[in-house]
Amino acid sequence: MEITAAVLERVGEPLVLRALDLEPPRHGEVLVRLLASGICHSDLSLMEGKWPAPLPMVLGHEGAGVVEAVGPGVDETRVGESVVLTFTPGCGRCRFCLEGRINLCTSAARSMDDGVLEDGTTRLSLNGQAVHHLALVSSFATHAVVPAAAAIPVPRDLDPEIACLLGCGVLTGFAAVTRRAAVSPGDSVAVFGCGGVGLATIAAARLVSAYPIVAVDPLPEKRELALRLGATHAVDPVDEIGPVDIAFEAAGIAAVAEQAFRATRTGGKTVLIGQPALGVHASFPIYELTQFEHDVLGTHIGGAVPALDIPTIARLLQAGRLDLGPLVTHRFRLDEIDEAIAVAVSGLAGRVVLDTGNAWREGANVRLVRNQDGGEP
Ligand SMILES: NC(=O)c1ccc[n+]([C@@H]2O[C@H](COP(=O)([O-])OP(=O)(O)OC[C@H]3O[C@@H](n4cnc5c(N)ncnc54)[C@H](O)[C@@H]3O)[C@@H](O)[C@H]2O)c1
Ligand SMILES: [Zn+2]
Ligand SMILES: [Zn+2]
């Protein structure tokens, strides 16, 4: 079938909207009609060439949609299911899956490196030339073919523009708090960087009754947003911060990682979520690390088990225990991808979400959604 997708053809250049060919789902796969896709900073890092990727590639790894068809071996009743896509479904066979560390699955890592599905091939092509998948997902598109296990069922009435964020940013912040850092009620927390990931970390810290929750960001708009999502204090990075029990780095800047370390108390944890370019180093003083039993933890998706954690977050959203509404500050159609990327690059957005359900090529049923205040984004 023909689909519309935003393709990274060359590093450092804008994405190109293309009509691509998408093969039907093979054994164990499903076809998903995408409704919404968030833009994560990692998409921007790929565009900037901060880490290598096989090109051309359809970007986007925060997708939500509806199962439209199933391949051989997949239960027919899944058609019509509302789903969130995950980039680590877990192969169930590698040592990390067997240890329950699904986020480190070697099969998913291989798919991510090579830009292919689990059988080592792509379903996407342009004029017969293979186009790569980003991390099994490729959600800057009207449709995607993904492993059936990578399409996690969520309640039908969950708003797609929030649901899609459960694929990466929200899942990462939530699991970083609940799993990797194991924050307890009353723990003091600082979150450096209030983008989609940092704001989700703040919302999760509130959920588990951390106190205080200090948001750190140079932009006043982001500090304001952080207070709405559950921060109890919001400060500029030039201010005196800490010491706190647990400091999260969600900016992806080496100097900020070092600052987060300095803001962590004796016996505390510094949790690194942000990812700068490949090869970037930070330095931590060994005397303090040893003498004060200071843990520095790196994390991929917060240590999430997506098939467990995505439905859990969905349930908490439905129950009103978690309110992520303020997170989505900007909405664009897929054909407005350049503007959407520009807003994401500005750092001013909580999350920018693409409305992929209203394909520009179809022309019909186009819903032009602007800023919440009705103004230009
Ligand atoms: N480890 C993982 O599994 C994982 C998952 C998702 C994203 N990421 C990474 O997390 C990082 C954040 O992603 P995002 O989508 O939230 O990014 P974003 O661009 O939306 O947000 C980054 C925020 O950092 C702030 N910032 C800039 N300089 C700062 C400073 N000196 N001190 C404090 N804050 C500062 C910006 O103002 C902005 O609000 C990125 O590096 C991304 O690649 C990692
Ligand atoms: Zn991401
Ligand atoms: Zn595995």
Side-chain angles (χ1 to χ4, degrees):
M1 69 186 284
E2 189 182 278
I3 69 159
T4 303
V7 186
L8 178 62
E9 297 186 344
R10 269 175 293 276
V11 159
E13 292 185 10
L15 302 182
V16 187
L17 273 183
R18 294 278 187 206
L20 300 182
D21 190 59
L22 180 66
E23 259 186 54
R26 295 187 190 172
H27 191 272
E29 297 174 347
V30 296
L31 168 69
V32 174
R33 181 165 61 85
L34 290 158
L35 295 174
S37 176
I39 301 179
C40 173
H41 199 100
S42 302
D43 295 301
L44 309 180
S45 295
L46 284 163
M47 290 179 69
E48 292 164 13
K50 284 190 181 168
W51 46 81
L55 302 184
M57 175 182 271
V58 175
L59 296 192
H61 59 282
E62 287 182 345
V66 177
V67 175
E68 203 160 76
V70 300
V74 181
D75 191 342
E76 284 275 351
T77 61
R78 294 207 60 184
V79 173
E81 217 172 61
S82 293
V83 293
V84 167
L85 305 187
T86 177
F87 39 88
T88 54
C91 70
R93 293 181 302 275
C94 74
R95 69 165 283 187
F96 300 109
C97 282
L98 294 171
E99 286 173 355
R101 302 182 78 179
I102 314 295
N103 60 318
L104 301 181
C105 174
T106 50
S107 166
R110 195 170 52 243
S111 292
M112 195 173 296
D113 288 347
D114 298 344
V116 292
L117 296 190
E118 288 166 328
D119 68 355
T121 66
T122 78
R123 301 293 160 275
L124 294 161
S125 60
L126 177 63
N127 303 324
Q129 296 287 92
V131 173
H132 295 93
H133 300 252
L134 169 54
L136 299 173
V137 176
S138 284
S139 54
F140 294 173
T142 54
H143 300 78
V145 166
V146 302
I152 310 287
V154 292
R156 191 175 303 271
D157 57 355
L158 195 64
D159 186 346
E161 78 173 26
I162 298 287
C164 67
L165 308 182
L166 273 49
C168 181
V170 166
L171 181 65
T172 298
F174 178 87
V177 166
T178 59
R179 290 188 182 272
R180 193 69 168 122
V183 177
S184 295
D187 280 349
S188 55
V189 160
V191 179
F192 291 77
C194 299
V197 175
L199 292 168
T201 305
I202 287 166
R206 172 170 67 178
L207 187 72
V208 302
S209 297
Y211 184 84
I213 302 170
V214 184
V216 187
D217 201 289
L219 300 175
E221 298 89 341
K222 304 309 283 291
R223 297 200 292 272
E224 184 54 39
L225 206 47
L227 291 169
R228 288 176 61 198
L229 280 150
T232 58
H233 304 72
V235 301
D236 191 279
V238 298
D239 294 339
E240 181 73 26
I241 298 150
V244 292
D245 297 319
I246 300 150
F248 294 90
E249 200 282 348
I253 300 169
V256 179
E258 292 165 358
Q259 188 182 10
F261 180 89
R262 289 193 300 276
T264 307
R265 72 154 166 81
T266 298
K269 298 173 195 166
T270 308
V271 183
L272 306 182
I273 307 173
Q275 294 178 306
L278 215 64
V280 170
H281 290 242
S283 98
F284 303 102
I286 297 172
Y287 182 82
E288 278 90 333
L289 263 170
T290 53
Q291 190 73 7
F292 305 120
E293 294 209 334
H294 192 136
D295 291 333
V296 179
L297 306 174
T299 189
H300 179 53
I301 341 174
V305 179
L308 272 178
D309 294 343
I310 289 172
T312 297
I313 300 170
R315 235 177 23 252
L316 291 166
L317 284 165
Q318 281 199 309
R321 303 301 294 264
L322 195 58
D323 176 16
L324 298 173
L327 201 51
V328 181
T329 50
H330 299 76
R331 303 160 179 83
F332 295 94
R333 286 193 327 254
L334 187 54
D335 63 317
E336 299 173 306
I337 187 73
D338 288 347
E339 287 168 82
I341 295 288
V343 174
V345 168
S346 77
L348 286 168
R351 254 307 182 248
V352 179
V353 173
L354 295 170
D355 176 356
T356 52
N358 292 296
W360 64 299
R361 301 180 64 81
E362 287 162 10
N365 191 27
V366 167
R367 181 169 61 101
L368 185 61
V369 190
R370 287 290 177 188
N371 246 350
Q372 269 158 346
D373 62 7
E376 289 296 308

